Amino acid sequence: EQTSDIAFILNTLGRLWLANVEVDWSGFYKNERRHRIPLPTYAFERQRYWIEPSQEVHAMGVARRLSGKKSDIAEWFYVPSWKRAQLPENGNGSGPSCQNVCSLVFLDEGGFGAKLVKLLQNSGQRVTVVKAGTKFHRTNEESFTINPEVKEDYHALLKELKTDERSPSTIVHLWCLTSREESIAESYDLVRNVGFNSLLFLTQAIAKQLPGKLMQIKVISNHLHQVTGDEFLSPAKAILLGPCRVIPQEHPNIQCTNVDVEDRQPVEEYVQLLVKELTAKTTDAVVAYRGTHRWVQAFEPMKLGKSDYFNPKLREGGVYLITGGLGGIGLVLAEYLAQSVHAKLVLVSRTGLPDREQWQNWLGVYGEEDEVSQKIRKVQSIENQGATVLVLRADVADVNQMKAAIAQAHDKFGQVHGVIHAAGIANASSILLKEPDVAAGVMAPKVEGTLLLGQLLRESRLDFLVLCSSLSAQLGGIESVDYCSANAFLDAYAQKYHSEENVISMNWCTWQEVGMAVNTAVTFDLKEERERNLRFGISPEEGKEAFGRILGRSYPQVIVSSRDLTALIERNDKGGESVAVEELAESSIPKPTHPRPELSSDYVVPGNSTEQSIADIWQELLGVAHVGIHDNFFELGGHSLLATGLVARLKSVFPIELSVARLFENPTVHSLSEMVRQGGRDGRSLDESKSRGQKRKERIRG
C-alpha cells in the first residue's frame, strides 16, 4: 500500500486500542510538544450504525448465560427428553402459497413417498421424484433415476432441474424409510450409503449448482428415536443426525430437519401430517411423530450430587477393559479406576506401547518430552496407585485383533467386568470437501467398534459398557459432520441396549488438557473457537468426579456440559455451536444497510460479474450500502469471526480453496476476484483445475 509510515502506524495503534490492547500512552506522548488548537464546531450527521435492539438483546442474554463455567459439578448434567409441540398455523399443505412451489422427493420403496407426492401435486406444487437405481437416467419431465453412491449423479440431477426452472425449495429424503428386518450392521451399511453419503453428495451438488438458494431438506426416517419407550430402534439410523445438524451450520441457506415416523400409524394419516410439516416454517432440527402427535427433542437438567458411598457398579480389584486406553480421556478414567477400586486394567489402543522390558531403555533414549515416554510414565503412575495394567495393541473395529485382545485379557485376568469405549478419531473438514471413505474412517471406531464389543462380550454379562460420546451429537459443529454422526450412534445404541446390557452413553463437553478437542488439528478458521471452548472445558479431576456420579446411577444417556446447555442449543439453533457459525447464520438474514463510511480508499464500482458477486456478499454481511473493489474488509468493520462466515459464503459460491489466513492477505474485493479468476490457492486457472480433475476421474474409471 502506498501510504505514509506515520499514518500507517497511528492507524494500526488506533485499531489495537479499539481491540482492547493496553497502550502505554505516557510513553507514546513522551517526546511530543503539544499546542491547543481551536476547531470549529459542526452538526452531527445522525447516521445510525447500531445492531438492531431485538437481536442485540437476545444475543447478549445468551452470551451472559454462556459467559462462565458452572462452579457446581452437580449442575453439569442433562438427560434427553421429548416435548409435545404444535405445528405453526401456516402448515396447512395447500393454498396460494403452495402454487408453483417446486419440491424434489427421493422416493422410498414402500409407497409412502408416492402417496406424499400425490398430495403435494394436488396442493399445486410442481414435484420431481428421484428413484434409486444403478445409473443416472431421466424417465420423463418429472422423474429421474440416480445411483445413490455416485456423486456426479446428484450434480447432473440438479443441473437438469435448474435448466428446466424446477429448482426445488423443498427436498424430501425418504431413502431411509426401511423395514425392521435388517441387523444393525446391515442397517449401518445401508444408511451410510443411501442416507449419510447421499446427504453429503446432495449438499455438495446444491452448493455447486444452486449456490445460495434458500431451501429446506426434510430427512424422513423410522426406528430412530425413542419417544414413548416402546418403539423398535435401529441405532444405525442415528448417523443421519450428523448431516441434519451440520448442513445448516456450514450452509445457512439450507435448513435441515430429521422427521421420524413409526410403522404402526396408517400411512395415509402420516402422509397428511407430513405435508403439514413440509409446508410449515419451523427451525426444529429433530422432530418425531407418534400417533397424531408431534414431538421435538429437548434436554432436561438433572442434579447429580457427590456420591459418598461405594459405587455399586465397581468391584474391588475388578477387571476393566478400556478402548482408546492410551488416549487422554482413557488414561484419566483408568487412573480413576486405579484410585477407586485398585482395578485390573486392559488398555487397548491402535498404537500400543513398546514391550514392557524396553520401557526403561526407551525413557533413557527418547526423554520425558516424547509422547510414548509420557504414556509409559502415566501407565507406571497408574500402577503405583494400585492397579495392574495390561497394554494391548488392537484396532477396535478389527474383529480378529479384538478377539485376540479379549482372549489375552481373559488369560491374564479372567472375566471382564466392565468396558469403557473411549476410542475415536476425528478429521476436521467441511461437507464440501468430505469424502465418504474418510467419513467412514472417522465413524468406524465408534460405530463398528461398538457393534464389535457388543458382539464379542455379550456372553460376559458386563456390569456396564460405557460409551464415551460427545456434546457434538447435540450441537453438531462446523467441519465435524462424521464425528457428530458417530457420537449420535453411541447415544442411540445406549438407548436401545441400556436395560438388557447395561449400556451407558456419556456425552462429554470439552476437556481442558486431554481428548480430541485438544489433539485434533482444525483449520485456521476454527482455532479461535476451539481455544474459547477449552477455557470452559473440564479438568481431568472434574472428569473423574463426573464419571463417578454418572456411573453410580441408572440412566442410558447423560450429557455433561460445564456451561448452560440450553443456551448452547439456543445459539446452535441460530447457526451452530461456534460464534463463527452464529455470524454466518446471521449473514443470511437481510440487514439494514448503511451509507458507505469514509475510508482510505476511493469508491470504485465492480468491473465484472465476479467482483459484483463478491461485493454483494460483503454488502449483505457488513450491512454497508456500497462496497468498492479496493475497500478493505477489515476497515469496513469486518473481523475474524465475520471473516469465517465470509469464507464459507465465498466457498459455497466459487470453486476455490480459501481460508481466513488468505483473506487477511487479500482483504479487498479486487484481490479476492483475482484469486477466483486464478482458481484459488495454487494459482491455477479454473479451466486448468477442471481439466486435471476430469483426467483424474478418467484414470479412476479406467
Side-chain angles (χ1 to χ4, degrees):
E1 299 178 11
Q2 299 299 321
T3 185
S4 161
D5 290 346
I6 296 297
F8 180 82
I9 291 171
L10 294 176
N11 181 59
T12 303
L13 183 64
R15 291 168 63 189
L16 289 170
W17 176 74
L18 286 172
N20 294 321
V21 174
E22 292 187 12
V23 178
D24 179 8
W25 293 113
S26 297
F28 178 75
Y29 290 121
K30 184 175 180 180
N31 297 315
E32 281 196 12
R33 296 181 62 188
R34 288 163 287 175
H35 303 278
R36 184 176 181 275
I37 302 175
L39 295 173
T41 60
Y42 65 94
F44 288 98
E45 294 180 353
R46 305 290 181 188
Q47 293 185 13
R48 284 178 55 83
Y49 282 92
W50 300 104
I51 301 172
E52 293 306 309
S54 59
Q55 294 182 10
E56 182 180 12
V57 169
H58 175 79
M60 288 176 62
V62 172
R64 276 195 298 269
R65 289 155 63 193
L66 295 175
S67 61
K69 177 178 172 180
K70 293 181 183 178
S71 57
D72 186 358
I73 293 179
E75 298 179 351
W76 289 6
F77 306 100
Y78 300 80
V79 292
S81 179
W82 291 86
K83 292 183 177 180
R84 284 270 300 277
Q86 298 296 323
L87 267 175
E89 293 182 1
N90 63 334
N92 52 22
S94 61
S97 62
C98 290
Q99 300 298 317
N100 297 319
V101 171
C102 294
S103 294
L104 178 63
V105 180
F106 289 75
L107 288 177
D108 63 306
E109 296 180 355
F112 187 97
K115 291 182 172 61
L116 175 65
V117 167
K118 188 172 182 179
L119 278 180
L120 291 175
Q121 289 173 332
N122 290 341
S123 71
Q125 292 197 28
R126 301 172 67 193
V127 184
T128 305
V129 300
V130 183
K131 298 179 181 179
T134 58
K135 63 180 181 179
F136 179 81
H137 173 66
R138 182 164 192 168
T139 308
N140 54 49
E141 183 183 5
E142 300 176 344
S143 179
F144 291 82
T145 298
I146 70 171
N147 186 330
E149 300 180 45
V150 176
K151 180 191 303 187
E152 290 76 13
D153 284 9
Y154 295 81
H155 287 268
L157 169 66
L158 294 187
K159 197 170 183 179
E160 292 262 357
L161 294 180
K162 185 166 80 170
T163 301
D164 292 350
E165 297 184 347
R166 296 176 69 94
S167 299
S169 55
T170 297
I171 298 176
V172 187
H173 193 284
L174 293 157
W175 282 352
C176 291
L177 277 179
T178 61
S179 68
R180 61 172 69 186
E181 297 174 358
E182 67 274 353
S183 67
I184 298 181
E186 292 171 334
S187 178
Y188 173 60
D189 289 337
L190 175 68
V191 176
R192 191 175 75 244
N193 290 327
V194 303
F196 181 90
N197 292 346
S198 174
L199 292 170
L200 287 191
F201 293 152
L202 178 60
T203 306
Q204 292 166 359
I206 291 171
K208 174 72 173 178
Q209 305 299 334
L210 305 171
K213 179 176 174 59
L214 295 176
M215 68 174 65
Q216 60 174 347
I217 301 175
K218 300 289 185 179
V219 182
I220 315 302
S221 64
N222 57 353
H223 311 149
L224 173 48
H225 298 294
Q226 187 175 71
V227 180
T228 61
D230 60 351
E231 296 98 333
F232 170 81
L233 296 179
S234 178
K237 293 193 176 182
I239 66 172
L240 295 171
L241 298 178
C244 289
R245 295 198 188 280
V246 177
I247 287 172
Q249 296 174 359
E250 295 190 10
H251 301 272
N253 57 301
I254 305 174
Q255 179 199 337
C256 196
T257 304
N258 168 235
V259 183
D260 195 58
V261 298
E262 61 178 347
D263 297 334
R264 290 171 290 187
Q265 188 79 358
V267 171
E268 290 75 12
E269 194 168 341
Y270 259 143
V271 170
Q272 293 280 358
L273 291 171
L274 194 56
V275 169
K276 293 183 179 180
E277 181 73 35
L278 296 180
T279 54
K281 296 185 184 303
T282 67
T283 58
D284 300 314
V286 179
V287 174
Y289 280 91
R290 297 295 183 264
T292 58
H293 298 305
R294 182 178 187 267
W295 300 79
V296 294
Q297 195 173 46
F299 300 94
E300 299 296 331
M302 172 187 62
K303 261 201 165 184
L304 287 184
K306 185 177 176 65
S307 301
D308 295 321
Y309 56 87
F310 177 75
N311 194 313
K313 288 192 174 73
L314 293 179
R315 308 184 188 207
E316 183 67 28
V319 179
Y320 301 105
L321 184 148
I322 304 177
T323 69
L326 295 180
I329 293 176
L331 286 170
V332 169
L333 298 182
E335 188 172 54
Y336 170 80
L337 295 173
Q339 295 167 343
S340 301
V341 293
H342 308 101
K344 299 178 179 66
L345 299 172
V346 183
L347 305 183
V348 178
S349 83
R350 286 180 301 152
T351 56
L353 288 177
D355 292 338
R356 188 175 286 265
E357 57 269 18
Q358 298 177 13
W359 285 7
Q360 285 307 120
N361 181 60
W362 185 283
L363 294 171
V365 172
Y366 293 98
E368 298 295 332
E369 297 301 317
D370 176 68
E371 183 180 357
V372 174
S373 296
Q374 292 173 359
K375 291 178 179 179
I376 291 173
R377 287 294 192 200
K378 191 64 178 178
V379 170
Q380 291 175 333
S381 172
I382 291 170
E383 290 176 329
N384 291 336
Q385 295 176 73
T388 306
V389 179
L390 173 64
V391 179
L392 299 175
R393 179 184 289 123
D395 181 344
V396 71
D398 187 296
V399 60
N400 294 323
Q401 291 182 28
M402 284 306 298
K403 276 183 178 179
I406 291 171
Q408 284 181 265
H410 285 158
D411 291 342
K412 176 80 172 177
F413 297 131
Q415 181 181 351
V416 174
H417 299 123
V419 173
I420 299 173
H421 184 26
I425 58 175
N427 186 298
S429 63
S430 69
I431 291 173
L432 293 184
L433 302 176
K434 188 73 68 176
E435 293 293 339
D437 56 341
V438 174
V442 170
M443 291 190 283
K446 291 181 180 284
V447 178
E448 297 174 33
T450 299
L451 295 177
L452 199 50
L453 287 169
Q455 171 191 332
L456 297 178
L457 293 168
R458 187 153 288 132
E459 301 302 319
S460 298
R461 304 302 302 169
L462 298 172
D463 296 336
F464 60 82
L465 167 56
V466 170
L467 306 176
C468 288
S469 184
S470 165
L471 200 55
S472 68
Q474 287 73 47
L475 298 179
I478 284 181
E479 298 189 345
S480 60
V481 61
D482 39 16
Y483 189 67
C484 173
S485 288
N487 287 297
F489 169 84
L490 298 182
D491 300 339
Y493 187 91
Q495 293 288 346
K496 182 176 179 68
Y497 291 109
H498 171 73
S499 58
E500 55 187 272
E501 296 182 15
N502 303 310
V503 184
I504 307 166
S505 183
M506 300 183 185
N507 297 81
W508 295 101
C509 63
T510 302
W511 289 54
Q512 285 180 343
E513 303 169 27
V514 298
M516 276 183 279
V518 176
N519 300 318
T520 301
V522 297
T523 58
F524 177 86
D525 308 12
L526 300 180
K527 284 183 179 178
E528 185 176 347
E529 175 63 12
R530 180 171 72 174
E531 294 304 315
R532 182 184 297 106
N533 287 334
L534 289 175
R535 290 201 303 271
F536 299 113
I538 60 179
S539 70
E541 289 305 313
E542 290 169 335
K544 292 179 194 176
E545 181 65 35
F547 177 83
R549 296 187 191 197
I550 299 171
L551 196 62
R553 274 50 171 209
S554 295
Y555 298 99
Q557 181 185 356
V558 179
I559 296 102
V560 185
S561 177
S562 63
R563 290 192 286 171
D564 188 316
L565 180 62
T566 307
L568 283 171
I569 291 174
E570 280 185 40
R571 189 171 71 176
N572 185 64
D573 287 342
K574 290 179 64 182
E577 181 181 10
S578 70
V579 179
V581 183
E582 186 173 345
E583 297 280 4
L584 183 58
E586 290 179 355
S587 71
S588 66
I589 302 172
K591 287 186 174 67
T593 56
H594 305 292
R596 182 176 181 273
E598 290 294 329
L599 300 173
S600 60
S601 58
D602 295 328
Y603 175 67
V604 179
V605 298
N608 55 55
S609 60
T610 302
E611 289 181 346
Q612 186 62 62
S613 297
I614 296 173
D616 289 344
I617 293 172
W618 284 32
Q619 289 170 187
E620 183 183 347
L621 191 67
L622 298 167
V624 177
H626 299 288
V627 173
I629 63 172
H630 298 307
D631 295 347
N632 188 296
F633 177 77
F634 301 98
E635 194 176 350
L636 282 168
H639 47 76
S640 60
L641 296 178
L642 278 175
T644 302
L646 175 62
V647 165
R649 290 286 295 277
L650 291 172
K651 290 192 327 192
S652 71
V653 175
F654 301 108
I656 61 170
E657 285 301 303
L658 181 65
S659 68
V660 172
R662 291 304 300 274
L663 179 59
F664 274 91
E665 297 169 1
N666 301 274
T668 68
V669 169
H670 177 70
S671 58
L672 286 175
S673 174
E674 286 299 298
M675 283 190 63
V676 172
R677 187 182 64 80
Q678 293 170 3
R681 181 170 297 173
D682 58 8
R684 292 178 305 185
S685 68
L686 292 182
D687 291 340
E688 184 183 354
S689 298
K690 291 177 182 176
S691 175
R692 294 189 183 187
Q694 185 63 36
K695 288 177 181 177
R696 275 199 304 271
K697 290 174 187 175
E698 290 172 358
R699 285 200 301 270
I700 292 170
R701 289 172 182 158

